[in-house]
Amino acid sequence: MFPQIFLTLISFLSFLCVNKALELDILPVSKPRFLGVDRHGLQYKYYKWRKSVCSLVNATIATILSFISLPSWTLTYSDLLTRYTTSGEITLLVATGYFIYDVLELRRYSFWKEWPFVLHHIAFIAVALKIIYARQGLGVITIGLTIEAGSIFLHVRSLLLNYGYSVTSKPFRAITRIILLIFVTYRIPVLAFLLQCHHYNHESLPFMLVILGYFAISGILFVNVYVVMSLLMSGTSKDGNRKQSYNNYSVRISLHS
């Protein structure tokens, strides 16, 4: 288990370093300007900005690694359940390191406010540890990680808001349409497929992995459906106050999807 622990620790420390480098302004990334915000609120907004950047980095890495690993499996559940590959394990460990980092970041600023996402992260970490220990289900979670492709655009959307783009601007609307397309045509169907596979084959899994799998997949599916409904509602709203309220909500949901 030492190589797995070491790689997870490297992933965790890497995201920690990126966050700290953004905080110290030593990376070639321009900080957004938050006007009319008091000192305490400004600190929180910069924390959210750093979190968006780190989340974007994680989503990009997870998407690339998961799609590279995907050809190792056929789309039969028995193969996804039993075949264990090095590339898939690396993908899972890197993602696990990020989620551990993110739980600790949430503890600093908004642990109780974002408790559903804390539960989501803890469930993912628990599932990942169980998969590594039992050496079962790696293909399933690798397919699940490919949906991070949609998260890339969610985090870009969040950063557009941080940098002053309005919800009615052309870049923001274009990104929102791309997100809807990815969620409806790929992300939600993939999660539904994984939930169906998990249900039909749960008898061949350890009991704890069955419980964690139901909790993690159904919870993530619910969050994704909710995001789509929120996006659709925001697009049909004509009320400026409602759009501003959704503007604030979309920053929060983008950070954790």
Side-chain angles (χ1 to χ4, degrees):
M1 288 291 290
F2 177 76
Q4 289 89 344
I5 295 172
F6 179 74
L7 184 54
T8 304
L9 182 62
I10 290 296
S11 173
F12 165 76
L13 292 175
S14 297
F15 285 107
L16 204 62
C17 289
V18 171
N19 190 354
K20 195 64 178 178
L22 289 169
E23 185 177 2
L24 297 175
D25 203 16
I26 60 177
L27 288 180
V29 179
S30 61
K31 285 186 175 180
R33 295 181 179 180
F34 298 109
L35 303 176
V37 182
D38 60 29
R39 186 177 64 84
H40 178 72
L42 190 63
Q43 183 183 20
Y44 183 73
K45 282 186 175 291
Y46 277 123
Y47 150 73
K48 287 287 193 179
W49 166 72
R50 294 194 307 272
K51 202 168 185 310
S52 286
V53 175
C54 290
S55 297
L56 176 60
V57 171
N58 169 70
T60 304
I61 293 173
T63 299
I64 293 171
L65 290 180
S66 58
F67 275 106
I68 289 174
S69 305
L70 204 56
S72 302
W73 290 275
T74 61
L75 288 181
T76 58
Y77 193 75
S78 59
D79 191 50
L80 294 173
L81 183 64
T82 57
R83 186 176 298 185
Y84 201 87
T85 68
T86 301
S87 60
E89 186 176 56
I90 291 172
T91 303
L92 179 58
L93 293 173
V94 171
T96 303
Y98 165 77
F99 280 116
I100 294 172
Y101 148 81
D102 203 37
V103 168
L104 295 178
E105 275 297 290
L106 286 168
R107 182 183 61 83
R108 288 177 60 191
Y109 286 95
S110 54
F111 189 87
W112 297 112
K113 186 188 299 183
E114 309 290 356
W115 66 267
F117 300 107
V118 174
L119 288 179
H120 162 268
H121 289 7
I122 292 174
F124 181 93
I125 294 166
V127 169
L129 293 175
K130 188 62 180 178
I131 286 173
I132 293 167
Y133 177 78
R135 301 185 74 82
Q136 286 184 299
L138 184 62
V140 177
I141 202 166
T142 301
I143 289 181
L145 285 170
T146 63
I147 68 174
E148 286 296 302
S151 296
I152 293 174
F153 294 96
L154 275 172
H155 300 314
V156 169
R157 185 172 179 272
S158 177
L159 289 170
L160 285 176
L161 292 171
N162 283 328
Y163 284 101
Y165 286 85
S166 72
V167 295
T168 57
S169 65
K170 289 183 178 179
F172 188 89
R173 286 184 169 183
I175 289 292
T176 300
R177 291 189 181 101
I178 293 172
I179 292 169
L180 280 170
L181 181 65
I182 293 175
F183 270 61
V184 172
T185 63
Y186 183 73
R187 191 159 173 154
I188 291 176
V190 165
L191 287 168
F193 165 74
L194 294 179
L195 187 60
Q196 182 184 39
C197 288
H198 185 75
H199 176 69
Y200 285 149
N201 297 272
H202 68 275
E203 293 180 358
S204 59
L205 293 171
F207 175 75
M208 186 56 67
L209 194 55
V210 171
I211 299 300
L212 290 172
Y214 274 126
F215 174 71
I217 299 173
S218 59
I220 297 169
L221 181 59
F222 171 78
V223 169
N224 280 266
V225 171
Y226 188 70
V227 170
V228 169
M229 295 303 296
S230 300
L231 289 170
L232 291 173
M233 288 172 62
S234 71
T236 59
S237 175
K238 302 297 183 182
D239 184 4
N241 292 329
R242 184 178 176 184
K243 284 196 172 185
Q244 183 59 41
S245 175
Y246 181 77
N247 182 339
N248 297 331
Y249 167 78
S250 61
V251 174
R252 188 171 72 253
I253 197 69
S254 297
L255 292 174
H256 302 287
S257 299

